[in-house]
Amino acid sequence: MKVKQEKLNMANALINVIVPLAKRVDKFRQFMQNFREMCIQQDGRIHLTVVYFGKEEMNEVKGILENTSKAANFRNFTFIQLNGEFSRGKGLDVGARFWKGSNVLLFFCDVDIYFTSEFLNTCRLNTQPGKKVFYPVLFSQYNPGIIYGHQDAVPPLEQQLVIKKETGFWRDFGFGMTCQYRSDFINIGGFDLDIKGWGGEDVHLYRKYLHSNLIVVRTPVRGLFHLWHEKHCADELTPEQYKMCMQSKAMNEASHGQLGMLVFRHEIDAHLRKQKQKTSSKTT
């Protein structure tokens, strides 16, 4: 049933991709390979803002940025250095407020995210200043070491990005990757900067939008992937944050069935040994 038809020309909307970061040079190098292909070569209407915490490994990250800039003739980037411990909410907030041009579409992104050029257009189509913010549900990759453990080698990344229940899951509890106009972000008050460490700041912002008069668009998208990485839950997290972190860690590792096979591997091995003994006793 067609409810409404509206034409929007969002084709020229510039997207400011904001990435908060501390260390993780290898992940950033991988991110920039994806960024170069999707944003610079295919899309072309992109600005990149990297908000870097601390000084450790900063020069390596800056070097990757500058090499990409020279090789791809790309000048649309901002590098912001902050002192103090990493805070995702603070990094995104500072990155969003730093923009000095006219109103811009923001894409809050993490360094372990892979996205396609089609996703960037989906980001443009589902946002409208003063009207709509976009909270895509991304596909989260399981641990490739477990998924492809029976194979000789883990396939290259592009071949891993397949949407199947054995390879990952829809992260319907995640609200970190989002597209919204800077004006809406500023008007709603940005992130709660009292939240420290892992988790919580993105849900808080999402709830503020739910209680506003803006439309929150929430839908799974095929061109946005969370790449697997080992998760460490820090001791200094609050009990609630630590519990959230451990639940997320379990969900990221493998499917229910695959985790079950790991939990019961002693029973499975014992069964296989018995089967072997039976067959060998029958042959003798």
Side-chain angles (χ1 to χ4, degrees):
M1 185 174 94
K2 187 186 266 188
V3 177
K4 185 181 177 186
Q5 181 173 337
E6 61 178 329
K7 283 190 177 178
L8 295 171
N9 182 17
M10 312 304 287
N12 298 319
L14 180 77
I15 299 177
N16 184 4
V17 181
I18 303 182
V19 182
L21 188 64
K23 303 180 209 169
R24 304 187 75 189
V25 174
D26 290 340
K27 282 283 179 190
F28 185 69
R29 188 176 286 111
Q30 185 182 50
F31 175 85
M32 285 307 294
Q33 285 173 352
N34 174 229
F35 183 89
R36 183 174 172 177
E37 184 186 340
M38 301 302 169
C39 297
I40 303 173
Q41 294 169 359
Q42 293 188 33
D43 190 273
R45 294 151 291 161
I46 297 291
H47 187 95
L48 174 64
T49 301
V50 176
V51 183
Y52 196 86
F53 286 81
K55 297 276 175 68
E56 200 179 336
E57 300 182 9
M58 182 182 78
N59 290 336
E60 290 96 315
V61 167
K62 265 185 152 175
I64 294 165
L65 257 179
E66 283 157 12
N67 289 343
T68 304
S69 172
K70 283 177 198 158
N73 194 23
F74 177 71
R75 301 276 177 274
N76 290 350
F77 69 91
T78 305
F79 186 88
I80 304 166
Q81 192 267 331
L82 298 178
N83 293 321
E85 62 175 315
F86 178 81
S87 164
R88 185 178 183 273
K90 184 181 178 184
L92 294 171
D93 209 87
V94 168
R97 293 175 192 276
F98 193 84
W99 180 260
K100 298 295 183 279
S102 57
N103 197 15
V104 69
L105 176 52
L106 306 173
F107 170 36
F108 294 149
C109 188
D110 288 342
V111 74
D112 44 29
I113 295 295
Y114 180 99
F115 55 86
T116 64
S117 56
E118 287 82 9
F119 166 73
L120 297 170
N121 280 325
T122 307
C123 183
R124 291 183 178 100
L125 287 168
N126 286 294
T127 48
Q128 215 176 335
K131 289 191 176 177
K132 286 191 290 191
V133 293
F134 184 39
Y135 274 85
V137 179
L138 50 77
F139 193 76
S140 203
Q141 184 189 34
Y142 286 140
N143 184 346
I146 295 176
I147 301 167
Y148 306 103
H150 60 285
Q151 297 183 14
D152 295 335
V154 174
L157 180 61
E158 280 71 22
Q159 290 175 33
Q160 292 179 35
L161 300 177
V162 180
I163 296 175
K164 292 196 302 191
K165 66 179 181 186
E166 296 83 21
T167 58
F169 64 98
W170 291 106
R171 190 178 272 255
D172 52 13
F173 57 86
F175 303 92
M177 298 335 113
T178 167
C179 300
Q180 51 195 256
Y181 274 86
R182 183 179 180 273
S183 56
D184 295 326
F185 177 76
I186 300 291
N187 288 340
I188 207 135
F191 284 107
D192 179 355
L193 300 183
D194 292 333
I195 298 170
K196 298 281 186 288
W198 186 91
E201 80 290 324
D202 47 2
V203 180
H204 188 264
L205 181 67
Y206 176 73
R207 284 184 184 143
K208 284 204 284 188
Y209 279 121
L210 285 183
H211 294 128
S212 75
N213 57 2
L214 275 75
I215 296 167
V216 178
V217 181
R218 180 85 170 141
T219 180
V221 289
R222 297 186 71 81
L224 188 63
F225 293 89
H226 179 271
L227 304 178
W228 183 85
H229 58 88
E230 193 168 351
K231 201 171 197 69
H232 298 285
C233 298
D235 290 337
E236 49 274 13
L237 293 175
T238 65
E240 187 57 33
Q241 283 180 317
Y242 191 81
K243 185 182 170 189
M244 279 169 64
C245 188
M246 289 304 286
Q247 285 171 341
S248 179
K249 184 181 171 85
M251 287 190 76
N252 281 304
E253 248 350 78
S255 69
H256 196 152
Q258 288 163 324
L259 284 175
M261 296 297 275
L262 290 173
V263 170
F264 300 122
R265 67 183 181 276
H266 298 305
E267 289 178 42
I268 294 165
D269 290 345
H271 171 75
L272 290 172
R273 280 197 301 274
K274 283 176 187 169
Q275 291 297 315
K276 273 186 184 173
Q277 285 167 2
K278 273 185 186 175
T279 51
S280 61
S281 62
K282 277 180 186 173
T283 50
T284 54

